[in-house]
Amino acid sequence: MARGIWEPKANEELAVAVHELTARVAERRSITWEHVCGHTGEHDNETADRCAEIGRRGYASEQSKRWTAPAPALQDLNYTETDACKKCGMRVLTKELKLHFRRCTSTERA
């Protein structure tokens, strides 16, 4: 459904939402589809199954909580406002420089 190959037989609203979300993600990132047989112990598939079960019960999983807040619009980010980290020299958005500096593990001064 997400790739537009299958026609939805049920949950048409969900299929449309998945198709639209996939199109939005594909504008920014490369998407590769891979068929995985269910219930074979594949880690990510098992995680998805657990998340689906948690969602079915009406709860939000830890993995899904990161999607509850909308991402900032691209036009809200000014990519020209960057500074260099004093530890590693990496160029970082000015508004994220303090957080980067605190988390930076580089021991050499740039």
Side-chain angles (χ1 to χ4, degrees):
M1 280 184 282
R3 292 189 287 173
I5 294 173
W6 304 292
E7 290 295 322
K9 294 181 179 86
N11 290 329
E12 191 166 337
E13 287 180 26
L14 177 61
V16 169
V18 167
H19 182 71
E20 289 173 358
L21 180 61
T22 303
R24 285 178 40 208
V25 171
E27 290 174 2
R28 298 171 132 191
R29 301 175 191 246
S30 174
I31 299 176
T32 303
W33 297 97
E34 181 179 334
H35 181 264
V36 176
C37 293
H39 310 292
T40 57
E42 174 72 32
H43 178 266
D44 292 336
N45 191 43
E46 296 298 324
T47 301
D49 286 345
R50 285 193 302 276
C51 290
E53 179 61 23
I54 290 169
R56 186 187 67 78
R57 293 180 185 175
Y59 300 105
S61 68
E62 289 301 316
Q63 287 83 1
S64 66
K65 286 180 183 177
R66 65 188 175 139
W67 297 103
T68 57
L74 285 177
Q75 61 268 21
D76 294 341
L77 297 175
N78 187 348
Y79 289 104
T80 60
E81 296 179 14
T82 60
D83 285 316
C85 174
K86 292 179 182 174
K87 289 183 182 179
C88 67
M90 181 176 154
R91 300 294 297 175
V92 181
L93 289 173
T94 302
K95 64 183 183 179
E96 297 177 0
L97 186 61
K98 287 182 182 178
L99 177 63
H100 171 81
F101 188 80
R102 285 195 302 261
R103 292 182 176 174
C104 186
T105 58
S106 180
T107 56
E108 298 178 14
R109 292 282 183 176

